[in-house]
Amino acid sequence: MYNINEIAMENQNDFYSLLYLYLARSLEKNCGRAGEGAVREAVRRFAQKRGATLMQRHVDAGIKTNLKNMHKFQDCPVDSRARARVRRDTEEVYLAEVYTCPMADIWRRYNGSRYGLWYCEEIHSGMLVGYTEGVGQPNLSERLTCERDNHCSISMFYRMANAPLGQGARSFVTSSEAEVPLGDENQFHVSLGAHATNLHRSMFVVAKERLGKEGVNAIAMGLRDLAVECVAILQEKADHTLRPCDEEFVRAYFPISLCVGEGSQTDCNEADVVLQTNLLDPLKTALGLS
């Protein structure tokens, strides 16, 4: 049984998964085989930037940038529905088996496991490459998005012997030093809205680079289809929780601000305009929100 705060976060996670699915599916449907390459490249870039950002935040906080701390001080809270067994968790080796994954579940529910497979194969690798500056070695040998497998098997290696001298000193605790006492494990969490917006931006940029107007149109069509699905889901969730589907409810259950870029210091770019026009504005109109 999950509490009301966990349920809200779970729904935000589901919308993040659906955002990826609708964009990936639209790119393949409208752009053919080239769509898969664009999706994979977009997830790869998004993941590498995310990993590099997390690494820099750890450096700034005086935390050793090894695998143990990469997973202990993550940039996103773990979904309360996820179930995993960590088999090994050291500075140099991380081995885990994931038995229940909400992302894989929702992709399967929408007949989109093959698109989820692209995401899973790129996200773990990209994050590790960004976090270890290309030194780490990832492996995803079983996947819940594959019909033949019943769990994900994730292996990551980041050997001190492979790291350049300065990077090794920054990442690993030596016998002559003690690990620095650490603070709140949640301090590095980034909102799901930020991750969702950055994922969309990456997919838009790569689609435009590789596929031109056809790619841009595919992104827009995917967002419009997603808007219809999001309206239905939000209305259903509001009904189930006996709450009005108003702005307060949407802020709690939907990860992206209804005004993209709200609170951001960066100028609104083309990707944000497409997101606002094709997803957020239709969502507000359908729900009767200002």
Side-chain angles (χ1 to χ4, degrees), residues 62-82:
I63 294 175
K64 295 289 188 178
T65 55
N66 51 59
L67 292 183
K68 188 176 184 68
N69 288 336
M70 176 185 174
H71 291 93
K72 183 176 182 180
F73 299 95
Q74 300 180 55
D75 66 347
C76 195
V78 176
D79 193 302
S80 51
R81 298 167 294 180

Side-chain angles (χ1 to χ4, degrees), residues 6 18 53 59 93 97 101 116 132-133 147 150 155 161 195 217 246 266 273:
E6 289 174 332
L18 287 174
T53 299
V59 170
V93 180
E97 293 177 349
C101 173
T132 66
E133 298 179 273
E147 293 183 359
N150 60 9
S155 305
H195 287 317
N217 290 337
D246 54 14
T266 59
V273 172

Side-chain angles (χ1 to χ4, degrees), residues 2-11 241 243 249 252-253:
Y2 305 108
N3 63 44
I4 194 68
N5 293 325
E6 289 174 332
I7 292 173
M9 182 61 67
E10 290 167 4
N11 279 273
T241 54
R243 294 177 59 182
F249 177 83
Y253 278 71

